[in-house]
Amino acid sequence: MRSHHITAAVLAAVAALALTACDPPPPSGESKPGTPAPSGTDRKTAALPDLVGKGLQAAQDAAQAAGFHSLTSHDALGRGREQVLDRGWKVCSQTPAAGSSVDTAATVDLGAVKLEEECPAREQATPSAPVGATMPNFIGRSMKVARQALPGNTSVTVKDALQERMVLQESNWRVCTQNPPTGTPLTGQPVAFHVVKFEETCP
């Protein structure tokens, strides 16, 4: 008799555990926490403000307030400088352009110059020289941009064309001469540059 009561108690406990382990199905249209959102969600659009002429920090704040959170910026003068202190830069161009129906997931790219500089009439395209290509024309361009455009395994020599100064921050220096000359096939040979600071004249 005693064993019959113990068996009945065990069966009742197992049944209770089985019932509590099974959650009722969620109501129609709802999902459990952690369930991925259904695919095919509609993309949102919003009005992207005109950011040209604003300080870079103010422009970024305005874009974010309008619902755009993927933001980037670049040196509009083509010198390859980083916008470390946003309040020291102003916006010259924006992509995409200001509009009332812009995808909020789009990356907003702002071309900027330092506050004391003038916006260029037209931005220069960044030169590139993939392996097996020919030497681009880097004359007048930033030494930093020239180095970045060359294949990563290129041996590069940079010398001051006016004095014996060390060329430390290459975005502040522009190319006066290059060797090999423009159009020479790049086959792994060393490349040499003579440079001056942007406010200086090449000899």
Side-chain angles (χ1 to χ4, degrees), residues 32-152:
K32 294 182 181 180
T35 302
S39 59
T41 303
D42 291 339
R43 303 293 288 268
K44 294 182 179 178
T45 61
L48 178 62
D50 185 356
L51 306 172
V52 175
K54 295 182 181 292
L56 181 56
Q57 183 64 65
Q60 292 170 338
D61 292 345
Q64 289 177 340
F68 298 87
H69 298 283
S70 180
L71 308 176
T72 186
S73 62
H74 65 274
D75 184 349
L77 292 179
R79 291 170 56 177
R81 297 170 295 180
E82 302 293 335
Q83 291 73 61
V84 178
L85 184 61
D86 293 338
R87 288 178 177 82
W89 296 73
K90 62 186 177 184
V91 177
C92 296
S93 65
Q94 70 180 78
T95 304
S100 59
S101 254
V102 180
D103 188 344
T104 56
T107 297
V108 179
D109 183 24
L110 304 174
V113 297
K114 290 190 174 183
L115 295 179
E116 65 274 15
E117 298 171 340
E118 295 294 328
C119 289
R122 184 177 181 181
E123 293 188 23
Q124 291 181 315
T126 301
S128 61
V131 177
T134 58
M135 182 73 167
N137 182 10
F138 292 120
I139 305 301
R141 303 303 300 271
S142 159
M143 183 58 224
K144 179 179 179 180
V145 168
R147 184 184 293 275
Q148 290 177 338
L150 291 169

